[in-house]
Amino acid sequence: MNTTALLIGLGPLLGWGLFPTIASKFGGRPVNQIVGTAFGTFIFAFVFALIKGLALPTGMDLVFTVISGIGWASAQIITFKCFAMIGSSRAMPITTAFQLLGASLWGVIALGNWPGVTAKIIGGLALILIIIGASLTVWSEHKSKENTQLITKAVAWLAVGEIGYWAYSAAPQATSVDGMHAFLPQAIGMVIVGVVYAIFLSMRGEKSALTEAVSYRQIWSGFFFAFAALTYLISAQPNMNGLATGFILSQTSVVLATLTGIWFLGQKKTPKEMAVTIGGLVLILVAATITVMI
């Protein structure tokens, strides 16, 4: 692995690692966060497409790539809601774990990954490690009934959100479009969800997110997300890090997202909780490595 490939592969570490903390720091409601993130991603993707001279896909290729973006934005609304419920430092490891589980199971069921009994056993053990790791990250030294109920509710919502993240990853596989050409249509799908969601809430009597300044400050969050998505697409190319290594490097973002949430957003943990959380993050990363190396 050369230095350039490694640096590009670590782009998602910074982009996706800082994205939830920045979005939470700017504040606002989940609708403000999704509108700003979608606009920021669209601006980034549009400029990139102009520079590279990338044309929009057509026909069903366009439909599926837009659906991909709709899936991500729908899931991210739920994730933003869970940030407000339990904090990004707890929500991020859980949603990462669900995405790893979803991607692995989809690969086995639909794509024929992990052929053979041995591979399936090793893969199954890796999935168990992911579940254990995610459980450790939300462990509390001083439990309360209210806190337990809140975490349980957030986990249930994040499990539902995995449907959207699955669509984000799976929909482009039904096309012949490469990741760079899919980037702008995905951003269009995100904008559609953000605008429709904002209009829907305003029709219910809430203030329109499209007229609130915080929504446009959140555009910076979208830049971080888009930077991560683009560097991951480049990193996963065969002449760079390849899909397996690129994926593993991208998953290191959960560590930065969790730790910055604790350090900069006041999502406090006791020393024992911190040690258990770090242990859980290590398990998630080890399991992610196993799932792509089988």
Side-chain angles (χ1 to χ4, degrees):
M1 184 187 300
N2 62 51
T3 303
T4 301
L6 178 61
L7 290 175
I8 291 173
L10 291 176
L13 163 64
L14 293 175
W16 284 330
L18 294 175
F19 164 63
T21 301
I22 291 171
S24 298
K25 194 70 175 178
F26 279 128
R29 296 169 291 153
V31 64
N32 301 120
Q33 293 170 321
I34 197 63
V35 165
T37 298
F39 285 176
T41 301
F42 176 79
I43 293 169
F44 194 106
F46 183 75
V47 171
F48 177 73
L50 283 180
I51 293 173
K52 297 290 290 184
L54 302 175
L56 270 178
T58 57
M60 293 308 296
D61 285 347
L62 177 61
V63 171
F64 278 112
T65 48
V66 170
I67 287 174
S68 171
I70 289 173
W72 180 87
S74 301
Q76 193 61 34
I77 290 171
I78 294 174
T79 303
F80 281 142
K81 286 181 178 292
C82 291
F83 285 175
M85 290 168 60
I86 62 174
S88 60
S89 64
R90 284 188 166 91
M92 277 305 297
I94 298 171
T95 190
T96 298
F98 278 135
Q99 289 179 59
L100 288 170
L101 289 171
S104 299
L105 293 174
W106 172 251
V108 172
I109 296 169
L111 305 179
N113 294 345
W114 302 355
V117 176
T118 301
K120 286 183 172 61
I121 291 174
I122 295 173
L125 292 174
L127 297 185
I128 292 172
L129 281 181
I130 290 172
I131 295 170
I132 294 172
S135 301
L136 292 176
T137 62
V138 296
W139 178 79
S140 297
E141 186 175 2
H142 307 293
K143 295 181 176 65
S144 68
K145 184 177 179 180
E146 181 181 357
N147 184 51
T148 301
Q149 289 176 339
L150 202 58
I151 289 176
T152 301
K153 183 178 179 181
V155 169
W157 272 112
L158 290 170
V160 173
E162 171 53 27
I163 298 172
Y165 288 131
W166 167 80
Y168 174 62
S169 300
Q173 295 175 15
T175 74
S176 58
V177 179
D178 61 68
M180 289 190 183
H181 283 85
F183 194 27
L184 181 56
Q186 286 173 333
I188 292 172
M190 296 173 191
V191 170
I192 290 171
V193 170
V195 171
V196 169
Y197 186 48
I199 293 172
F200 171 74
L201 291 182
S202 66
M203 290 174 64
R204 293 180 57 186
E206 295 188 27
K207 187 174 181 179
S208 174
L210 298 175
T211 63
E212 292 181 293
V214 66
S215 296
Y216 298 95
R217 288 197 294 271
Q218 287 288 357
I219 286 175
W220 289 102
S221 305
F223 290 159
F224 276 83
F225 172 83
F227 171 76
L230 178 60
T231 51
Y232 172 65
L233 290 174
I234 297 172
S235 172
Q237 292 180 355
N239 63 334
M240 294 301 288
N241 296 307
L243 183 60
T245 303
F247 179 77
I248 294 167
L249 289 172
S250 75
Q251 294 311 298
T252 58
S253 61
V254 69
V255 177
L256 187 60
T258 302
L259 296 180
T260 54
I262 294 169
W263 293 333
F264 299 118
L265 298 177
Q267 298 169 9
K268 302 298 183 183
K269 286 180 179 284
T270 67
K272 188 177 290 186
E273 288 172 346
M274 192 68 180
V276 173
T277 294
I278 292 173
L281 292 173
V282 170
L283 284 182
I284 290 174
L285 292 177
V286 168
T289 304
I290 293 172
T291 60
V292 297
M293 289 300 185
I294 298 174

